[in-house]
């Protein structure tokens, strides 16, 4: 079975359309979406309507949660004060633009989705806000996958796609028992894998193209797709809709609009 | 008799760099003048910070200082690209004329004006009199959130707010340090130089900092707003200063400003 997994659309309707066309051409059997349907981009309602109309199983992203619950970012969200101001402007704009039924839909999204030995989350199984960076400590990465009881963990949130194999997983823990005796326990795990699918609507890999992933459940083959689209149209809409103009410049260069994580050792407090 | 030298050339060609090589010598009194931008001159401040023995002359005091120069004095006039080479002030100045020009510029009004041509950076010379615009603002008292400053300088020099040919600025950091940042469109990267001045950890610095941008189609309001958004609040600045003073209690929280 061929799965298409996408994430982080961020109100970029042009990019979503291009990715859906590409998925169609690749003849995927099932699509999953890892959230962040809204935020930053100019068409949050249209994106949600499209996802709903196609009945794509979707989990809740951090922006989807923020639009429902309000902003409460951890310090890992923004690399600078300037970025934080821009992020807040985008949040205020989206909050005003979003339709009530769209907000209700975002509130109803689950944190995780499952299919057999696959688990789908936005950030990490702990939180939509936690970044699973590719350079994250191996123990922590393995713990995140094990906590889902799946073999493959699909995530987004970093906006930069990657595949990380956690082979020969071996966990050693030392437990101090109430009787004062310390005992060591060892667990070995079969191959686990983290697949980050990148971002459809707000790429951070230095190009404006959308990314998503095709996954073959029979062969475990991963194909990263990079899809070009008319990003200038999205840039024009960003400007026309009154979002911060700098978002258009940054989209054209594949740079983050505001949020970015740099520290792989940071544990999100959200 | 005082030695007067006027230096001109396109923006970014290397006028200040050329002058700086002579300012290191301290054997005779040296003066530096950079007319055209009034009190908001990054070059004037930078020369004052880098060469404290050089007397930098603000425009308002120029006539008085010129009238009373010591015999051994050397005065460097940096004559910006936006100033008229045929001005009566310059014409009446008994000076040596140096043009710092890009290597491929064969003919220009600078060639006709100069006594000597020095080969500088390969910048684009203004074509057909189409001069770039200059936007400058003082930033005295403002202290930047360092990653915000990085982001805005990357955007500014990357063309997010118009085509920037040249950018230079002096920026205050929460650590009390001040940096000179220099960008020339045709040269690789951006140059950051820590200024050799005492760290300022006692409130908002009253010494000069500021920015000059030269280019085309500059979105001045957007640049100004981005600069403001990258500056620290009083509370954040106080927190930073407390942090740095705790790290090094020998740091004097109150520093006297250098006069430039």
């Amino acid at each position: 079975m061929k799965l298409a997994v996408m994430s982080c659309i961020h109100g970029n309707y042009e990019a979503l359309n291009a990715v859906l066309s590409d998925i169609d051409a690749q003849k995927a059997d099932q699509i999953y979406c890892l959230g962040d349907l809204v935020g930053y981009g100019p068409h949050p309602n249209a994106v949600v309507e499209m996802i709903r109309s196609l009945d794509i199983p979707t989990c809740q992203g951090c922006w989807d949660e923020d639009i429902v619950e309000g902003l409460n970012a951890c310090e890992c969200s923004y690399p600078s004060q300037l970025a934080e101001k821009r992020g807040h402007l985008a949040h205020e704009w989206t909050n005003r633009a979003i339709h009530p039924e769209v907000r209700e839909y975002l509130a109803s999204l689950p944190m995780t989705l499952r299919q057999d030995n696959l688990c789908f989350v936005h950030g990490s199984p702990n939180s939509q806000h936690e970044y699973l960076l590719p350079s994250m400590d191996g123990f922590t990465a393995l713990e995140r996958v094990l906590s889902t009881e799946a073999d493959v963990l699909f995530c987004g949130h970093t906006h930069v796609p990657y595949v990380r194999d956690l082979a020969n997983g071996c966990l050693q823990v030392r437990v101090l028992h109430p009787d004062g005796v310390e005992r060591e326990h060892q667990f070995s795990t079969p191959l686990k894998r983290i697949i980050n699918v990148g971002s459809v609507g707000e790429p951070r890999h230095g190009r404006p193209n959308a990314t998503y992933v095709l996954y073959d459940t029979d062969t475990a083959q991963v194909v990263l797709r990079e899809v070009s689209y008319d990003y200038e149209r999205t840039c024009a809409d960003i400007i026309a809709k009154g979002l911060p103009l700098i978002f258009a410049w940054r989209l054209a260069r594949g740079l983050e609009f505001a949020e970015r994580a740099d520290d792989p050792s940071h544990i999100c407090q959200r | 008799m005082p030695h007067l030298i006027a230096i001109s050339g396109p923006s970014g060609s290397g006028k200040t760099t050329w002058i700086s090589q002579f300012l290191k010598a301290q054997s005779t009194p040296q003066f530096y003048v950079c007319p055209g931008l009034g009190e908001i001159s990054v070059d004037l401040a930078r020369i004052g910070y880098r060469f404290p023995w050089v007397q930098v002359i603000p425009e308002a005091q120029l006539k008085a200082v010129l009238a009373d120069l010591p015999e051994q004095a050397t005065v460097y006039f940096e004559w910006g690209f936006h100033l008229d080479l045929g001005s009566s002030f310059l014409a009446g100045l008994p000076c040596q004329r140096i043009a710092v020009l890009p290597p491929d510029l064969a003919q220009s009004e600078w060639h006709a004006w100069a006594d000597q041509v020095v080969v500088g950076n390969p910048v684009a010379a203004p074509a057909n009199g189409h001069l770039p615009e200059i936007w400058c603002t003082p930033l005295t008292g403002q202290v930047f959130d360092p990653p915000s400053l990085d982001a805005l300088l990357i955007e500014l020099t990357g063309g997010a707010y118009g085509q920037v040919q040249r950018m230079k600025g002096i920026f205050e950091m929460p650590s009390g340090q001040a940096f000179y940042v220099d960008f020339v469109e045709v040269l690789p990267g951006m140059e950051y130089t820590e200024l050799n001045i005492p760290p300022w950890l006692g409130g908002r610095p009253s010494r000069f900092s500021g920015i000059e941008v030269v280019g085309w189609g500059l979105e001045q309001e957007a640049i100004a707003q981005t600069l403001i958004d990258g500056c620290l609040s009083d509370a954040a600045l106080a927190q930073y200063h407390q942090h740095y003073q705790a790290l090094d209690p020998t740091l004097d929280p109150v520093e006297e400003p250098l006069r430039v």
Side-chain angles (χ1 to χ4, degrees), chain A residues 79-82 86 246 249-250, chain B residues 145 147-148 155 160-161 229 231:
Chain A
S80 69
Q81 175 184 295
L82 184 61
R86 290 170 176 173
I246 196 69
W249 187 83
R250 297 190 75 90
Chain B
D145 168 50
S148 296
E155 288 173 357
Y161 309 103
D229 289 345
C231 290

Side-chain angles (χ1 to χ4, degrees), chain A residues 19 30 53 60 72 81 119 169 200 227 233 267:
Chain A
V19 164
Q30 172 71 54
S53 69
Q60 193 183 56
N72 182 21
Q81 175 184 295
C119 181
V200 170
V227 182
R233 203 160 158 182
I267 302 296

